[in-house]
Amino acid sequence: MATATDAETDTSAETLSATVIGASGFTGGELLRLLAGHPNFELAQATSREYANKTLGSVHPNLRGSDLRFSEPSDLESVDVLFAATPHGVSMEHIDSFREAADTVVDLSADFRLDTEAEYDEWYDGHSCPEYLDEAVYALPELTREELPGADLIAAGGCNATATLLGLSPLFDAGILFGSEQVVVDVKVGSSEGGASPSKASSHVERSGIVRPYAPTGHRHEAEIEGILGTSVSFSAHAVDMVRGASATCHVFPDSPVSKGDLWKAYREAYEDESFVRLVAGGGGVYRYPEPKAVAGTNYAEVGFELDPTNKRIVVFSAIDNLMKGSAGQAVHAANLALGFEETAGLEFEGLHPVGSP
Amino acid sequence: MATATDAETDTSAETLSATVIGASGFTGGELLRLLAGHPNFELAQATSREYANKTLGSVHPNLRGSDLRFSEPSDLESVDVLFAATPHGVSMEHIDSFREAADTVVDLSADFRLDTEAEYDEWYDGHSCPEYLDEAVYALPELTREELPGADLIAAGGCNATATLLGLSPLFDAGILFGSEQVVVDVKVGSSEGGASPSKASSHVERSGIVRPYAPTGHRHEAEIEGILGTSVSFSAHAVDMVRGASATCHVFPDSPVSKGDLWKAYREAYEDESFVRLVAGGGGVYRYPEPKAVAGTNYAEVGFELDPTNKRIVVFSAIDNLMKGSAGQAVHAANLALGFEETAGLEFEGLHPVGSP
Amino acid sequence: MATATDAETDTSAETLSATVIGASGFTGGELLRLLAGHPNFELAQATSREYANKTLGSVHPNLRGSDLRFSEPSDLESVDVLFAATPHGVSMEHIDSFREAADTVVDLSADFRLDTEAEYDEWYDGHSCPEYLDEAVYALPELTREELPGADLIAAGGCNATATLLGLSPLFDAGILFGSEQVVVDVKVGSSEGGASPSKASSHVERSGIVRPYAPTGHRHEAEIEGILGTSVSFSAHAVDMVRGASATCHVFPDSPVSKGDLWKAYREAYEDESFVRLVAGGGGVYRYPEPKAVAGTNYAEVGFELDPTNKRIVVFSAIDNLMKGSAGQAVHAANLALGFEETAGLEFEGLHPVGSP
Amino acid sequence: MATATDAETDTSAETLSATVIGASGFTGGELLRLLAGHPNFELAQATSREYANKTLGSVHPNLRGSDLRFSEPSDLESVDVLFAATPHGVSMEHIDSFREAADTVVDLSADFRLDTEAEYDEWYDGHSCPEYLDEAVYALPELTREELPGADLIAAGGCNATATLLGLSPLFDAGILFGSEQVVVDVKVGSSEGGASPSKASSHVERSGIVRPYAPTGHRHEAEIEGILGTSVSFSAHAVDMVRGASATCHVFPDSPVSKGDLWKAYREAYEDESFVRLVAGGGGVYRYPEPKAVAGTNYAEVGFELDPTNKRIVVFSAIDNLMKGSAGQAVHAANLALGFEETAGLEFEGLHPVGSP
């Protein structure tokens, strides 16, 4: 079995057992799909309270070929790695049993993303095990790669935060922004961000064809963003008519003049060695800037930008699949890095063209 | 016949003849529909080069009940009012024949929206009759109502500019913004903004389910907005999956603290007597903020806002149907005011619920 | 007040009071909209258990201009006409209080559509007041116009049955079909047919972009269809990605050869005097055959056909807006005829072009 | 190099060079994607007249990671296998140069699908090389598997024909249908079936949210279907709002009574050993019957059925991704069989859940 402290060894032929908690949800289903195609993981268990004893395919039609059935979350098997894809607040209640069941725990909820109890209390309602907040490693591999090898409690970054941070952080790293400037982040997201519980607002009738502001101020992902950038951003989200996808448009106003060359330099330095980030900035054809549709189903992020000399503004575009790069893909990517596997293992799908609504 | 200088008279029973130029396009079709249901207009002529001699219903299936056929644009009849719904650049070429054919000309293109040739040249390519720029009245009735009675050359405001200006102008009028602040306007629009000419990018295959930046900087509607507000805004547009609709999210940072009460006061003062503006700001239910879907097919604008104390930001939302309040409805509204008709005549449709993609 | 037996009188200037039961649902909301714009009705009451005391606009954003609030269904006012837009089974429980409250009751559910208790029991589960089944008049005005004047208990025809019957009945009336032939009816419907209660299957995530068979055999509307045509049809429904709309494709195989002229004759005779049926059969342009999108928001039905000599088949297309011609519009149309009003009163809206997903 | 006559050899480690003609189209793009992920093919050339010298990613954003550029179709390299994904009529003009360039030619158009010139002339307009019609092997592997090994001119079956034939052929094989019965096939298809050339009817504005009959009678795929089944079917297609997908609902009326057990037996016998067909017939959950959405992006077909005792009808449902199982996937599947590769090589993608519009 891989030991977290020994990730340097060649692990390419190794196979670890894995459990997915909350496997009937959208990100849980994506984890099942990714692990089934991963050379180093074997899916041992998939839990779901609601669908216990039913086949995976009865919920996720793309998994009809699997014989596995959902099991009760109370019967955890001992495995190497546990992925928790439950709603916020669940992981913190069960974190001890998760860690008892597995050497490595990757949590996809917000429960362990913030660093301190004070931060958590500011944005959420009381943490039941704040002692783990500091220990947990925040995983957005392009930005926190160094901390991942050997980590045994990982908090995968949130979807909107991921899109935003991938767009903005090169500007901070390159010294184009310093943290004192106004930063507006206007995000457009698909319906899968709302989770699998039905409601009137999420019904096809009411949600089709919309541009609907939600959490226009005070969105909780601001906390994660501030945690990484060290500065607050003005964040607003809108629901639009797609199922997968998060697209962040960041409007920033640097204090000093910036050229397009400066921007290319900043983004190339940030991402030229990254497997999952593509710079897409104003070429020809239909897809000139980052679009969620171009990365649907994949772990890729597209990042691009444009310069607005009139208003001394930089507009940055960042697009991801919220269930993949913004959740399940990010979790597997982080696990790959934590356990010493090939970084891209299980995440090679390049996406489809054409594709309808992602 | 109504004379422009005599608009005070009771005109409710009067009927004027009207021509629509470019009637096979999307806004042209909406004009046909509005004029057919208008108590004071009788549709005399609908021109289309491409569809001359075909029935209106062969292009616009909702007009299958009409016996009228498209005629060649070269054979203009003499009428009271002419609406020109042609692409940019066409009206300026034909303005003299338009004015010869009709006492009142309402142009829906950008040709006469700016005040001076210099402004025009900055954003477009050379004007063929700049002498009319000053004479033409810019019509966004909530903001330019006083100038409309008796006007005989009217330039209806553009869709994105209309959404933006309805959202922002109360903040300027109330002294909450002064023009020196950063103003970010992030707009989401439907596919009908692209017009009726097919292209690869506008095909159903490529355009479904997108969040696609277009004209992320340097959008020409910035000129109109600056013309009214007196200050530049940082404008970016995104194509999303709907057919009708323009939704503007304006992020502004006032220099002095503002309360929610201040905002309500500013917006109520601006719009409480307006027939076509509804304030929608954070009530309950599914539709808490302005949404294009809620105004699809109507001449209504919804305007709302939220306060972000953390970032000292005001977020303003404004939603319209780009073909109606952003074009054909605005043109009829302006004509009503110019000719002394009931302001809401022909524009009473309240919209549908539920509605799919608007 | 209008008496049902005196419908011959000129009633054009008359105004009757009306109640809508179940006014927060989709067809209830459409009834509110139609009655608000109807010259002969005044909306007195709109009931909703769930939204009692809330404004109409809090549920139906297109009715934000109204001051009326939903009231408890237990507090029925005395009115002239009551429209019941409740789920199946509710009207039969309350029919006595409905009839006590109003002289004329129009029910939009299936409760009174069938003629006998035996038929009802075959397709549904036990009727609580079978004595009214015979008395109730089935309203699909194009087919049952004669029975409507003076009727005081009206059962508006169901959406899928309406689309099917408008397509098929001219073939029976013209002696092209006799009832012994195989008749296949393949229907495609929008999500509003599922009603306003949220479920996993009706969520935007799961219902977007689908072609989903539902009730592929044994659909209850077969009973209504058989009741009118006198013969059984092979009916299957599919959910597709639109909100409004029902489109029936009927495949029939007449015993004797039929020409296109025969078909035109049959359909013209059936519908040439009808206000709400348009024959659309293979002209040019984009909209060559009936489409739900072309009638969205209206009380129109489009009917068309094509001949398949190879297979000795007639293909009939019929498209309606399920909430309008298939429900609320049909109910108002029936009430107009029952009460002696202008047939088209309140139903003049011709629809929009372009329109996104209806 | 693989020789067509020696397909029995172990070929799992072999790599053949491949060209895609018409690589900028939708099926061409899918071929590029599949070949890039195929263990036995190496993409040598991708031709496109329109995009020659541009990168693959400039047309297909999912291929941005590739360095290859489109080349002129006139400069064909010598390769092992050539896939032609051009519009109907192109392959027959160039078939000699295709065969000169490659040992094995797989054509995705209709040019070589029919057996005789007479059949071709009945449905299309004149064939330029009828001598190849007999030689070409029709590839719908589940039905024509035996003919594929060693074939060097392959005509991949059409999308709608594939969906129809997979649904119907087990009924003929099992002796439930004999060919004298009425067979109605009602098909719903996505916009990618229309190809990549933009038109008004295929624009997002006009094509969103539709149920639009097209080719309601006389669809050319009837010829292929008849060629395989030996009997004519009554076929009608409808365009609905999705990008990928073809869903066939077949309504058949067997002469003798049939039980559900008979149907299960017939379909299990037909498909239990097939890698790419899944029987989906009325289980629980949201996805109870075949749906295009459940197979989007994959080479799977879902087939299911329901019995209608009242009307003595069997309803068969069949769903595929038209670009995959209905075209590019089918072509690769056929090539795998022709060349002795693992049948599923390069076609293992299981699809996504959730997915928006496929």
Side-chain angles (χ1 to χ4, degrees):
Chain A
M1 206 190 74
T3 57
T5 50
D6 195 7
E8 302 291 301
T9 331
D10 175 14
T11 57
S12 61
E14 198 176 15
T15 302
L16 301 188
S17 58
T19 286
V20 175
I21 307 286
S24 60
F26 298 147
T27 55
E30 281 295 71
L31 283 169
L32 297 177
R33 174 177 75 86
L34 294 174
L35 295 175
H38 197 292
N40 305 112
F41 286 115
E42 187 171 28
L43 186 61
Q45 192 177 19
T47 78
S48 166
R49 210 164 9 200
E50 189 177 355
Y51 297 95
N53 302 316
K54 302 210 165 161
T55 61
L56 303 187
S58 68
V59 173
H60 306 296
N62 60 330
L63 304 179
R64 277 174 172 150
S66 167
D67 291 329
L68 202 69
R69 288 173 182 271
F70 294 108
S71 59
E72 286 286 354
S74 48
D75 298 329
L76 288 192
E77 295 174 23
S78 182
V79 291
D80 296 310
V81 186
L82 181 150
F83 294 89
T86 42
H88 301 321
V90 175
S91 282
M92 68 170 82
E93 296 298 331
H94 299 278
I95 187 65
D96 290 326
S97 63
F98 290 174
R99 302 193 76 175
E100 200 181 305
D103 295 327
T104 304
V105 170
V106 185
D107 185 46
L108 284 74
S109 80
D111 286 8
F112 300 99
R113 288 186 197 148
L114 303 186
D115 278 344
T116 66
E117 188 172 6
E119 281 177 73
Y120 192 88
D121 287 345
E122 188 187 337
W123 293 92
Y124 299 87
D125 304 322
H127 203 289
S128 66
C129 50
E131 63 273 22
Y132 291 130
L133 286 174
D134 184 48
E135 180 186 346
V137 174
Y138 183 78
L140 200 170
E142 288 78 7
L143 306 185
T144 66
R145 167 172 278 110
E146 292 71 24
E147 304 166 43
L148 286 164
D152 54 13
L153 177 57
I154 296 170
C159 48
N160 298 331
T162 295
T164 303
L165 288 166
L166 288 174
L168 288 175
S169 69
L171 297 178
F172 285 82
D173 290 348
I176 293 170
L177 292 183
F178 296 91
S180 53
E181 306 86 352
Q182 298 291 9
V183 175
V184 170
V185 181
D186 192 294
V187 171
K188 297 88 185 169
V189 303
S191 53
S192 63
E193 279 210 0
S197 295
S199 72
K200 198 173 172 191
S202 72
S203 70
H204 181 266
V205 167
E206 301 292 6
R207 207 199 172 289
S208 292
I210 59 171
V211 178
R212 178 172 296 163
Y214 85 96
T217 63
H219 192 289
R220 288 163 164 184
H221 283 194
E222 286 188 33
E224 286 177 53
I225 298 167
E226 185 170 349
I228 295 285
L229 294 186
T231 183
S232 147
V233 301
S234 291
F235 184 99
S236 297
H238 305 77
V240 300
D241 196 342
M242 60 183 178
V243 166
R244 288 172 180 242
S247 171
T249 301
C250 309
H251 309 262
V252 302
F253 302 87
D255 291 336
S256 308
V258 177
S259 72
K260 218 143 184 209
D262 297 334
L263 292 175
W264 276 111
K265 187 157 175 289
Y267 283 92
R268 284 211 178 102
E269 280 182 6
Y271 298 131
E272 69 188 343
D273 296 330
E274 288 296 343
S275 302
F276 293 117
V277 182
R278 288 182 180 151
L279 296 184
V280 181
V286 170
Y287 296 84
R288 303 177 178 209
Y289 295 103
E291 290 194 38
K293 179 161 161 162
V295 293
T298 81
N299 198 48
Y300 290 93
E302 289 188 347
V303 176
F305 47 81
E306 201 56 77
L307 206 51
D308 175 5
T310 309
N311 296 292
K312 293 176 185 148
R313 174 178 58 139
I314 306 168
V315 191
V316 181
F317 302 103
S318 172
I320 61 170
D321 180 329
N322 60 306
L323 298 180
M324 284 292 298
K325 182 66 185 164
S327 188
Q330 182 127 284
V332 170
H333 189 185
N336 287 343
L337 291 167
L339 298 160
F341 298 142
E342 185 70 34
E343 181 166 357
T344 57
L347 299 170
E348 296 90 348
F349 183 56
E350 302 266 329
L352 302 168
H353 177 251
V355 71
S357 177
Chain B
M1 209 191 73
T3 58
T5 48
D6 195 7
E8 302 290 302
T9 332
D10 175 16
T11 55
S12 62
E14 196 176 16
T15 303
L16 301 189
S17 58
T19 285
V20 175
I21 307 287
S24 61
F26 299 147
T27 54
E30 281 295 71
L31 283 168
L32 297 178
R33 175 177 74 86
L34 295 174
L35 296 176
H38 196 292
N40 305 113
F41 286 114
E42 186 170 28
L43 186 61
Q45 193 178 18
T47 78
S48 166
R49 212 165 4 200
E50 189 178 355
Y51 297 95
N53 301 317
K54 300 209 166 163
T55 61
L56 303 187
S58 68
V59 173
H60 306 296
N62 59 329
L63 304 180
R64 278 175 171 149
S66 167
D67 292 328
L68 202 68
R69 289 173 181 270
F70 294 107
S71 58
E72 286 286 354
S74 49
D75 298 328
L76 288 192
E77 295 175 23
S78 182
V79 292
D80 297 309
V81 185
L82 181 149
F83 294 88
T86 42
H88 303 321
V90 175
S91 282
M92 68 172 84
E93 295 299 331
H94 298 279
I95 187 66
D96 289 326
S97 63
F98 290 173
R99 302 193 77 174
E100 200 181 306
D103 294 328
T104 304
V105 170
V106 185
D107 185 45
L108 283 74
S109 80
D111 286 7
F112 299 100
R113 288 185 197 148
L114 302 186
D115 277 344
T116 66
E117 188 172 6
E119 280 177 73
Y120 192 89
D121 287 345
E122 188 186 338
W123 294 92
Y124 300 87
D125 305 321
H127 203 290
S128 66
C129 51
E131 64 273 22
Y132 292 129
L133 285 173
D134 184 50
E135 180 186 346
V137 174
Y138 183 79
L140 200 170
E142 288 79 6
L143 305 187
T144 66
R145 166 172 278 109
E146 291 71 23
E147 304 166 43
L148 286 163
D152 54 12
L153 177 56
I154 296 171
C159 48
N160 297 332
T162 296
T164 303
L165 288 166
L166 289 174
L168 288 175
S169 70
L171 297 177
F172 286 81
D173 291 348
I176 292 170
L177 293 183
F178 296 91
S180 53
E181 306 87 353
Q182 298 290 9
V183 175
V184 170
V185 181
D186 192 295
V187 171
K188 296 89 184 168
V189 304
S191 54
S192 63
E193 279 208 1
S197 295
S199 73
K200 198 172 172 193
S202 73
S203 70
H204 181 265
V205 167
E206 301 293 6
R207 208 199 171 289
S208 291
I210 59 171
V211 178
R212 177 171 296 162
Y214 86 96
T217 63
H219 192 291
R220 288 164 164 182
H221 283 194
E222 286 187 33
E224 287 175 54
I225 298 166
E226 186 171 348
I228 295 285
L229 293 186
T231 183
S232 147
V233 300
S234 290
F235 184 99
S236 297
H238 304 77
V240 298
D241 196 342
M242 58 184 181
V243 166
R244 290 174 180 240
S247 170
T249 302
C250 309
H251 309 262
V252 302
F253 302 87
D255 291 335
S256 309
V258 176
S259 71
K260 217 142 183 210
D262 296 334
L263 292 175
W264 276 110
K265 187 157 176 288
Y267 283 93
R268 284 210 178 101
E269 280 184 6
Y271 297 131
E272 68 188 344
D273 296 331
E274 287 296 340
S275 301
F276 293 116
V277 183
R278 287 181 181 153
L279 296 183
V280 181
V286 170
Y287 296 84
R288 302 176 179 210
Y289 295 102
E291 290 194 37
K293 181 160 158 160
V295 295
T298 80
N299 198 48
Y300 290 92
E302 290 188 347
V303 176
F305 47 81
E306 201 56 78
L307 206 51
D308 175 5
T310 308
N311 297 294
K312 293 177 184 148
R313 175 178 56 139
I314 306 167
V315 191
V316 181
F317 302 103
S318 173
I320 61 170
D321 180 329
N322 60 306
L323 299 180
M324 284 292 299
K325 181 66 184 163
S327 187
Q330 182 127 285
V332 171
H333 188 185
N336 286 343
L337 291 167
L339 298 160
F341 297 141
E342 184 71 33
E343 180 167 357
T344 57
L347 299 170
E348 297 90 347
F349 183 56
E350 303 265 329
L352 301 167
H353 178 251
V355 71
S357 177
Chain C
M1 207 191 72
T3 59
T5 50
D6 196 5
E8 302 293 301
T9 334
D10 175 14
T11 55
S12 61
E14 198 176 14
T15 302
L16 301 188
S17 57
T19 285
V20 175
I21 307 287
S24 61
F26 298 148
T27 54
E30 281 294 71
L31 283 168
L32 297 178
R33 175 178 74 86
L34 294 174
L35 296 175
H38 197 292
N40 304 112
F41 286 115
E42 184 170 31
L43 186 62
Q45 193 177 19
T47 78
S48 165
R49 211 163 9 199
E50 189 178 355
Y51 296 96
N53 302 317
K54 299 206 167 165
T55 60
L56 304 187
S58 68
V59 173
H60 306 296
N62 60 331
L63 304 180
R64 276 173 171 151
S66 167
D67 291 330
L68 202 68
R69 287 171 183 271
F70 294 107
S71 59
E72 286 286 354
S74 49
D75 297 328
L76 288 193
E77 296 175 23
S78 182
V79 291
D80 297 309
V81 186
L82 180 150
F83 294 89
T86 42
H88 302 321
V90 174
S91 282
M92 67 171 83
E93 295 299 330
H94 298 280
I95 188 65
D96 290 326
S97 64
F98 290 174
R99 301 192 78 175
E100 200 180 306
D103 295 326
T104 304
V105 170
V106 185
D107 185 44
L108 285 73
S109 82
D111 286 8
F112 300 99
R113 288 184 197 151
L114 302 186
D115 277 345
T116 67
E117 188 172 7
E119 282 177 73
Y120 191 88
D121 286 346
E122 188 188 337
W123 294 91
Y124 299 86
D125 305 322
H127 202 289
S128 65
C129 51
E131 64 273 21
Y132 292 130
L133 285 173
D134 184 51
E135 178 185 348
V137 175
Y138 183 79
L140 199 169
E142 287 78 7
L143 306 187
T144 66
R145 166 173 278 108
E146 293 70 23
E147 304 165 44
L148 285 163
D152 55 11
L153 177 56
I154 295 170
C159 47
N160 297 331
T162 295
T164 302
L165 288 166
L166 289 174
L168 288 175
S169 68
L171 297 177
F172 286 82
D173 292 347
I176 292 171
L177 292 183
F178 295 92
S180 54
E181 306 86 353
Q182 298 290 10
V183 175
V184 171
V185 182
D186 192 294
V187 170
K188 296 87 185 166
V189 304
S191 54
S192 63
E193 280 209 359
S197 295
S199 73
K200 198 173 170 191
S202 71
S203 69
H204 181 266
V205 167
E206 300 293 6
R207 207 198 173 290
S208 292
I210 59 171
V211 178
R212 177 171 297 163
Y214 86 97
T217 63
H219 192 289
R220 288 165 163 181
H221 282 195
E222 286 187 34
E224 286 176 54
I225 297 167
E226 187 172 348
I228 295 285
L229 294 186
T231 183
S232 148
V233 301
S234 291
F235 184 98
S236 297
H238 304 77
V240 298
D241 196 343
M242 60 185 179
V243 166
R244 291 175 179 239
S247 171
T249 302
C250 309
H251 309 263
V252 302
F253 302 87
D255 291 335
S256 309
V258 177
S259 71
K260 216 139 185 213
D262 296 335
L263 292 176
W264 276 111
K265 187 157 175 289
Y267 283 92
R268 284 213 178 99
E269 279 183 7
Y271 298 131
E272 68 189 345
D273 296 331
E274 288 295 343
S275 301
F276 292 116
V277 182
R278 287 179 181 156
L279 297 184
V280 181
V286 170
Y287 297 84
R288 302 176 178 210
Y289 296 103
E291 290 194 39
K293 180 159 157 161
V295 294
T298 81
N299 197 49
Y300 290 93
E302 289 188 346
V303 176
F305 47 81
E306 201 55 78
L307 206 52
D308 175 5
T310 308
N311 297 292
K312 295 178 183 145
R313 176 178 55 139
I314 307 167
V315 192
V316 181
F317 302 103
S318 172
I320 61 170
D321 180 329
N322 61 306
L323 299 180
M324 284 292 298
K325 181 67 185 164
S327 189
Q330 182 127 285
V332 170
H333 189 185
N336 287 344
L337 290 166
L339 298 160
F341 298 142
E342 185 68 37
E343 181 167 355
T344 56
L347 300 169
E348 297 90 347
F349 182 57
E350 303 266 328
L352 301 168
H353 178 250
V355 71
S357 177
Chain D
M1 207 189 76
T3 59
T5 51
D6 196 6
E8 301 292 301
T9 333
D10 175 13
T11 54
S12 61
E14 198 175 15
T15 303
L16 301 188
S17 58
T19 285
V20 175
I21 308 287
S24 61
F26 298 148
T27 55
E30 281 295 70
L31 284 168
L32 298 177
R33 175 177 74 87
L34 295 174
L35 296 175
H38 196 293
N40 304 112
F41 286 116
E42 187 171 27
L43 186 61
Q45 193 177 18
T47 77
S48 166
R49 211 165 7 202
E50 189 177 356
Y51 297 95
N53 303 316
K54 300 207 167 164
T55 61
L56 304 187
S58 68
V59 173
H60 307 296
N62 60 330
L63 304 180
R64 276 173 172 153
S66 167
D67 290 330
L68 203 67
R69 289 172 183 270
F70 294 107
S71 59
E72 285 287 352
S74 48
D75 298 330
L76 288 193
E77 295 175 23
S78 181
V79 291
D80 298 307
V81 186
L82 180 150
F83 294 89
T86 42
H88 302 321
V90 175
S91 282
M92 68 171 83
E93 296 298 331
H94 299 278
I95 187 64
D96 289 326
S97 63
F98 290 174
R99 301 192 77 175
E100 199 181 306
D103 295 326
T104 305
V105 170
V106 185
D107 185 44
L108 285 74
S109 81
D111 285 7
F112 300 99
R113 288 185 197 149
L114 302 186
D115 277 345
T116 66
E117 189 173 4
E119 282 177 73
Y120 192 89
D121 286 345
E122 188 187 336
W123 294 93
Y124 299 86
D125 305 322
H127 202 289
S128 65
C129 50
E131 64 274 22
Y132 292 130
L133 285 173
D134 184 50
E135 178 186 348
V137 175
Y138 184 79
L140 200 171
E142 288 78 7
L143 306 186
T144 66
R145 166 173 279 110
E146 292 70 23
E147 304 165 44
L148 285 164
D152 54 11
L153 177 56
I154 297 171
C159 48
N160 297 331
T162 296
T164 302
L165 288 167
L166 289 174
L168 288 175
S169 69
L171 298 177
F172 285 82
D173 291 346
I176 292 171
L177 293 183
F178 296 90
S180 53
E181 306 87 352
Q182 299 291 7
V183 175
V184 170
V185 182
D186 192 295
V187 171
K188 297 87 184 166
V189 304
S191 53
S192 63
E193 279 209 1
S197 295
S199 72
K200 198 173 171 191
S202 72
S203 70
H204 180 266
V205 166
E206 301 292 6
R207 208 199 172 289
S208 292
I210 59 171
V211 178
R212 177 171 299 163
Y214 86 97
T217 64
H219 192 289
R220 290 164 163 183
H221 282 195
E222 285 187 32
E224 286 176 55
I225 298 166
E226 186 171 349
I228 295 285
L229 294 185
T231 183
S232 147
V233 301
S234 291
F235 184 98
S236 296
H238 304 76
V240 299
D241 196 342
M242 59 186 178
V243 166
R244 290 174 179 240
S247 171
T249 301
C250 309
H251 309 263
V252 302
F253 301 86
D255 291 335
S256 309
V258 177
S259 71
K260 217 145 184 206
D262 297 334
L263 292 175
W264 275 110
K265 188 156 173 290
Y267 282 93
R268 282 211 179 100
E269 279 183 8
Y271 297 131
E272 68 189 343
D273 296 330
E274 289 295 343
S275 302
F276 293 117
V277 182
R278 287 181 179 152
L279 297 183
V280 181
V286 170
Y287 296 84
R288 303 175 178 211
Y289 296 103
E291 291 194 38
K293 179 160 160 163
V295 294
T298 81
N299 198 48
Y300 290 93
E302 290 188 346
V303 176
F305 47 81
E306 202 55 79
L307 207 52
D308 175 5
T310 308
N311 298 293
K312 295 177 182 146
R313 175 178 55 139
I314 307 167
V315 191
V316 181
F317 303 103
S318 173
I320 61 170
D321 180 330
N322 60 307
L323 298 180
M324 284 292 299
K325 181 66 183 163
S327 188
Q330 182 127 284
V332 171
H333 188 186
N336 287 344
L337 291 167
L339 298 160
F341 297 141
E342 184 69 37
E343 181 167 355
T344 56
L347 300 169
E348 297 90 347
F349 183 57
E350 303 265 329
L352 302 168
H353 177 251
V355 71
S357 177

